[in-house]
Amino acid sequence: MSEKALIKDLKTMLGNDRVLTAPEDKVAYSYDAAVVEQVIPVAVVQPESEEEMGMVVSYCHRNSIPLTVRGAGTNLSGGTVPHEKGIVLLTGRLNKIIELNTEDMYAVVQPGVITAHLAKAVEKQGLFYPPDPGSQAVSTLGGNVAENAGGIRGLKYGVTKDYVLGLEFFSAEGNLIKTGSKTVKCVSGYNLAGLLVGSEGTLGVISRITLKLIPQPPARKSMMALFADIRSASQTVAAIIAEKVIPATLEFMDKFTIDAVERFSRAGLPTDVEAMLLIEVDGHPAQVEDEAGKVEKICRECGFIKIRVAESEEERNKVWEARRSALSALAKLRPTVVLEDATVPRSKIPNMVQAIQKIAEEYDVKIGTFGHAGDGNLHPTILTDKRNHEEWKRVEKAVEAIFDAALKLGGTLSGEHGIGIAKAPFLSKEIGRDSISYSMRIKRALDSRNILNPGKILWLNGSYRE
């Protein structure tokens, strides 16, 4: 099919104003937050209803048009970079909270709802939606489901998959598929929601999501533990978990990141320390006091300089907002930022921190490290300039070395950012060729024309086309 005929059909289907074809519009949707090559799509469409979404999917199947669904484009692995012969489907106009049920504690939403908007809406009802990716102020729930997004509360409360009760989605042929329910328990049929969560738009187009909500914790206490060396901080993380204390958040920042965040946010972070842990415990007031006491004791035994306790909600929020700005703060320092999320078993955090330091020295690259240390999910962030070809080659080797180190420690390539394009060439190192071949058979069975976000996740021998 010619591009001209494709665009004409899309405009007939949706109207002229919801089919974007201007060069500046197409460029805006040719990339995401990952450092991968841009790909200009043929067109960008904006359905306003689930029915229109299904019509677009069905049309793409009939005409073998590659289709990439996009929420806010905060993806960090190239998962929303489109196909050169395909179209981008934006979910931004499908942004309704359809139902918020406080009695049975669930919410039904469209995929374009902003994550933070749902969190605020349920908070007003005394409820809690824990998944909170760093981009929650702009990221969408559909994108969160497609990537199985996590966040700083993953240690205690889990990630997006732990809150998906049910889904409605369009198959590659454009048929509406329903899976799961609004009940806490449901074993009716295959667990298709489990298959779709984290599939990065390669198996279906999500049109409606049912999410579990939980009660808000009645009390919480936030602490900032300061250390004179990185090893003591990383050992503290392992010691807290070994003591069977599960904080709501247990975040790590090295000195380079602390300095960058303080310059960016002016939140009053100390810049005369080598590492910092941001720790929050929550639950029943008595439990909070007990766990906070244990955490402080462990920090002392591991050699902390001192610990600060947030004295007010304002102080707490200021520090956590500063932590959430870590990536933005680092991104101001060099033209190119490569953020990885290789994850290791929690007891291996000290080993992983040490490995990252060695990799930075070996390849002569600058790496700022922060992340969700409590669940083993560090974010080594390489600051570089991709236009410097010699430096970029060293960066690519450093990235592969980080992946190898994580896998050697029993970890994974990605804790929460997905595989997309950026990590697809490395996936066989973790799960093996047979696992990829098995996944490819599922993909072919569910998407025989390979229209759903082709090229993501599944590569063998460096190509997804085999």
Side-chain angles (χ1 to χ4, degrees):
M1 169 177 280
S2 70
E3 291 187 7
K4 185 176 179 181
L6 167 61
I7 292 168
K8 180 181 178 183
D9 287 347
L10 291 172
K11 288 184 175 179
T12 300
M13 197 183 313
L14 301 176
N16 291 345
D17 61 331
R18 289 191 283 122
V19 180
L20 309 180
T21 57
E24 59 271 27
D25 288 328
K26 294 195 292 185
V27 167
Y29 298 105
S30 66
Y31 62 94
D32 58 21
V35 186
V36 296
E37 295 298 322
Q38 291 179 244
V39 179
I40 307 292
V42 176
V44 180
V45 300
Q46 299 173 299
E48 288 185 337
S49 69
E50 294 161 37
E51 182 183 10
E52 286 185 347
M53 174 185 268
M55 289 167 55
V56 171
V57 177
S58 178
Y59 174 84
C60 287
H61 174 75
R62 291 196 306 275
N63 295 282
S64 298
I65 306 296
L67 174 65
T68 297
V69 179
R70 181 184 176 109
T74 53
N75 184 277
L76 286 159
S77 59
T80 49
V81 174
H83 191 282
E84 61 188 358
K85 296 181 180 179
I87 66 171
V88 174
L89 186 154
L90 304 180
T91 61
R93 298 193 181 199
L94 294 164
N95 58 2
K96 295 183 178 64
I97 297 176
I98 298 168
E99 181 182 2
L100 205 172
N101 190 306
T102 58
E103 187 175 10
D104 291 318
M105 294 195 293
Y106 68 80
V108 181
V109 302
Q110 290 184 312
V113 172
I114 302 295
T115 313
H117 291 179
L118 176 68
K120 287 180 181 177
V122 304
E123 186 177 344
K124 290 178 182 176
Q125 303 297 325
L127 294 173
F128 187 29
Y129 178 66
D132 59 341
S135 56
Q136 64 169 342
V138 294
S139 71
T140 63
L141 290 164
N144 293 174
V145 173
E147 296 293 332
N148 192 17
I152 65 174
R153 301 188 188 112
L155 171 60
K156 182 172 183 177
Y157 290 105
V159 296
T160 301
K161 71 177 181 182
D162 300 306
Y163 295 87
V164 176
L165 293 174
L167 289 178
E168 292 186 12
F169 64 93
F170 291 101
S171 69
E173 296 80 11
N175 299 319
L176 183 61
I177 310 298
K178 299 181 180 181
T179 178
S181 77
K182 297 174 181 176
T183 59
V184 174
K185 291 182 177 179
C186 174
V187 292
S188 300
Y190 287 145
N191 182 9
L192 299 181
L195 185 63
L196 265 286
V197 175
S199 65
E200 303 186 18
T202 62
L203 300 178
V205 177
I206 297 167
S207 59
R208 190 171 287 205
I209 310 161
T210 302
L211 294 165
K212 178 177 71 175
L213 307 174
I214 61 176
Q216 285 186 15
R220 61 190 176 192
K221 179 175 281 191
S222 296
M223 296 161 278
M224 179 192 300
L226 311 176
F227 294 86
D229 62 273
I230 287 179
R231 185 161 187 81
S232 295
S234 59
Q235 289 175 335
T236 300
V237 173
I240 289 173
I241 302 301
E243 190 63 22
K244 310 293 188 297
V245 176
I246 306 296
T249 55
L250 178 45
E251 296 287 300
F252 170 88
M253 283 199 282
D254 66 4
K255 177 174 175 52
F256 187 80
T257 306
I258 295 169
D259 291 348
V261 170
E262 179 56 21
R263 285 195 297 272
F264 181 82
S265 66
R266 303 298 180 191
L269 302 183
T271 55
D272 57 347
V273 299
E274 289 298 318
M276 171 194 300
L277 294 178
L278 296 173
I279 309 163
E280 183 167 286
V281 292
D282 66 5
H284 187 278
Q287 176 192 0
V288 168
E289 288 305 314
D290 180 58
E291 291 189 342
K294 288 182 180 178
V295 166
E296 183 169 352
K297 178 174 179 288
I298 293 167
C299 290
R300 185 182 304 111
E301 291 172 349
C302 290
F304 76 150
I305 297 174
K306 64 179 177 181
I307 196 165
R308 293 183 188 173
V309 178
E311 299 295 336
S312 65
E313 191 70 7
E314 181 183 5
E315 184 180 353
R316 169 192 176 271
N317 292 338
K318 192 174 182 180
V319 171
W320 284 114
E321 284 304 313
R323 159 59 188 89
R324 290 185 188 282
S325 72
L327 177 57
S328 301
L330 291 170
K332 290 178 70 70
L333 303 181
R334 294 294 303 275
T336 309
V337 175
V338 181
L339 176 69
E340 295 300 343
D341 73 325
T343 304
V344 296
R346 293 173 290 201
S347 63
K348 303 297 183 184
I349 280 288
N351 308 70
M352 190 62 194
V353 169
Q354 189 175 24
I356 293 169
Q357 289 179 306
K358 287 183 177 179
I359 290 167
E361 292 173 5
E362 181 178 352
Y363 295 100
D364 190 22
V365 293
K366 192 62 193 175
I367 303 180
T369 300
F370 64 98
H372 322 306
D375 45 4
N377 185 193
L378 292 174
H379 291 317
T381 305
I382 304 177
L383 308 179
T384 182
D385 185 344
K386 197 174 180 182
R387 295 168 297 185
N388 182 334
H389 299 299
E390 186 277 330
E391 183 178 82
W392 182 248
K393 287 180 181 177
R394 284 187 279 114
V395 168
E396 290 183 315
K397 291 178 180 177
V399 168
E400 186 164 3
I402 289 171
F403 292 155
D404 289 341
L407 295 178
K408 189 176 180 181
L409 292 169
T412 177
L413 298 176
S414 178
E416 58 185 4
H417 294 169
I419 298 299
I421 296 172
K423 297 179 185 177
F426 305 99
L427 185 59
S428 63
K429 285 188 175 185
E430 179 176 344
I431 67 175
R433 295 177 60 86
D434 287 344
S435 298
I436 294 178
S437 294
Y438 184 84
S439 301
M440 283 180 161
R441 293 206 301 274
I442 294 174
K443 168 71 170 169
R444 291 189 191 106
L446 298 180
D447 180 17
S448 60
R449 298 186 179 181
N450 195 27
I451 65 161
L452 298 178
N453 210 14
K456 310 308 187 301
I457 304 177
L458 303 175
W459 288 25
L460 280 175
N461 296 329
S463 171
Y464 63 90
R465 299 180 188 279
E466 64 179 88

